[in-house]
Amino acid sequence: MSTETKDRGSVNADGLPSDRLRAYERAVSFLVEAAFALATLLVLVDLVLLGMSVTARYLVNMPITWSDEIVALSLTAITMLAAPKVLFDHGHIEVDILTSMTRGRLSLALRVWSSLAVLAVALLLIFNGWSTAMFSRLIGLLTEGYLELPLWPLQLLLPLGGALLTPVVILHLWQIAVLWRQNGSRSPQDASLID
């Protein structure tokens, strides 16, 4: 029987991840890298703005009053755009004492629990962020400070962050399912199985 006929969506006949899983991983990787590139660009823009602000304030004695505001507002965008990359790279905080002591299926179960917790946060960001942004739009809330920008577009960054986290969580759960199917014989940190 060929590998294609035994492919059940996650593992092929050889016990390796299927082409669908690999394609999904590449698509998620592209999405995450694009968001991270935008976050990096925002960090660089913030650096230039802060540099210009300091120079204008202390050398020319003409402060740029709005630059600090722009930098503060962009921090939400940077966080929401960079968090999926950290999750994708397994760079999130773990309780090392607990995770390093677990092996096999217990380790996978902890990984599932962690992924479901992140999914819950992502869904909160999506739904609560959306309702907050729409309420702010309805009543016309503005940011405080010199610029007085409408607040709702900035609040839409929260559902965007949740929407970017969700495909990463789905990928992690799919990868865990592949490892689980292989009887939990490998640690979930063994990303080389999926790569």
Side-chain angles (χ1 to χ4, degrees):
M1 192 178 273
S2 74
T3 303
E4 292 153 5
T5 57
K6 287 189 176 180
D7 187 353
R8 295 179 301 273
S10 59
V11 183
N12 63 21
D14 301 324
L16 297 173
S18 71
D19 291 338
R20 285 183 279 187
L21 176 56
R22 291 178 192 274
Y24 184 74
E25 183 177 15
R26 282 192 299 276
V28 170
S29 176
F30 177 78
L31 179 68
V32 163
E33 292 295 335
F36 190 72
L38 190 54
T40 304
L41 180 65
L42 285 173
V43 169
L44 294 174
V45 167
D46 286 354
L47 181 64
V48 169
L49 277 174
L50 288 173
M52 286 176 19
S53 178
V54 168
T55 301
R57 177 172 296 166
Y58 295 110
L59 293 181
V60 188
N61 200 24
M62 294 177 60
I64 303 172
T65 55
W66 50 266
S67 65
D68 292 342
E69 223 175 305
I70 293 291
V71 169
L73 296 173
S74 72
L75 290 177
T76 304
I78 291 167
T79 303
M80 292 295 113
L81 293 169
K85 170 78 169 146
V86 173
L87 183 63
F88 184 80
D89 292 341
H90 298 286
H92 51 285
I93 297 172
E94 292 181 338
V95 181
D96 292 336
I97 294 171
L98 183 62
T99 58
S100 65
M101 291 179 9
T102 60
R103 296 280 181 255
R105 289 200 174 190
L106 178 59
S107 181
L108 295 174
L110 279 174
R111 194 61 78 172
V112 167
W113 180 82
S114 170
S115 294
L116 291 176
V118 173
L119 182 62
V121 169
L123 293 174
L124 280 172
L125 287 171
I126 292 169
F127 293 109
N128 288 351
W130 179 263
S131 62
T132 301
M134 292 304 101
F135 179 72
S136 295
R137 182 178 181 201
L138 178 69
I139 63 174
L141 281 180
L142 302 174
T143 61
E144 294 182 16
Y146 296 102
L147 296 178
E148 293 187 348
L149 299 170
L151 193 55
W152 68 271
L154 301 170
Q155 291 171 332
L156 284 177
L157 293 168
L158 298 175
L160 173 66
L164 289 171
L165 285 172
T166 301
V168 179
V169 172
I170 292 168
L171 174 65
H172 285 178
L173 290 171
W174 194 351
Q175 290 171 338
I176 292 166
V178 169
L179 292 171
W180 189 277
R181 203 174 227 174
Q182 296 172 343
N183 297 323
S185 60
R186 296 187 181 137
S187 168
Q189 284 84 11
D190 185 12
S192 62
L193 169 72
I194 310 299
D195 291 341

